[in-house]
Amino acid sequence: MVVWSDQERKFINGIFGNLDYDNIGPKALVRCLVVYPWTLRYFGGFGDTSSVAAIKSNPNIAAHGIKVLHGLDRALKNMDNIKATYADLSVLHSEKLHVDPDNFRLLSDCVTIEIAAKLGSSFSPDMQAALQKFLAVVVSALGKQYH
Ligand code: HEG
């Protein structure tokens, strides 16, 4: 079981409590799709993704970025039981969507980068450590149904 210190909980709740989901969600997903273009394969039905400009201005991609980021809310509300919290979503991504689980980490790194870019110098190393620990637990839980 994952143990969270009071400081980690404070950092994580502080980051997400002040987060503009509608801004960071699309940016993180766009970054993932541009930097790791093979992740585009799951979004064939989302409309034009033929260039960086098209990906950036695609409303379906933006909406999905917001949805994914809100997908983290359930972990925030269940910090002490993240694995069970993602059981259904893990089954969906593995058995229905066939998303390669390596991609969870790529997207979560893009979330970290966008949060860092937004927070600038106030994004301290120990805040980053708490955020990346949180995202690593989410990634592990999402990958659970694969093994
Ligand atoms: Mg996934 C659907 C969350 C990574 C591709 N993703 C969803 C949904 C949520 C979610 C909440 C909606 C589920 C539903 O409709 O019931 N995704 C989520 C999280 C993370 C993640 C929290 C990791 C941080 N997803 C992820 C990655 C890919 C991917 C890395 C592909 C590279 N997700 C994907 C696709 C769908 C979802 C293709 C279905 C989209 C649709 O057809 O509407």
Side-chain angles (χ1 to χ4, degrees), residues 2-16 72 75-76 79 82 108-109 111-112 115 119 122-139:
V2 182
V3 176
W4 303 100
S5 70
D6 290 345
Q7 196 197 40
E8 285 170 336
R9 287 179 197 272
K10 208 176 110 224
F11 279 141
I12 292 163
N13 286 315
I15 288 169
F16 286 96
L72 298 178
L76 290 169
M79 292 266 296
I82 291 181
S108 80
D109 284 350
V111 169
T112 301
I115 289 173
L119 296 182
S122 68
F123 189 57
S124 63
D126 46 353
M127 259 171 109
Q128 180 180 349
L131 175 61
Q132 291 206 236
K133 175 175 167 181
F134 172 73
L135 292 172
V137 176
V138 170
V139 166

Side-chain angles (χ1 to χ4, degrees), residues 39 42-43 46 64 67-68 71-72 74 86 89 92-93 97 99 103-104 107-108 138 142:
T39 57
Y42 307 102
F43 301 96
F46 275 53
H64 191 65
K67 193 191 275 185
V68 166
L72 298 178
R74 57 188 88 177
Y86 282 113
L89 211 51
L92 177 80
H93 283 82
L97 301 170
V99 173
N103 294 325
F104 298 139
L107 178 58
S108 80
V138 170
L142 280 173

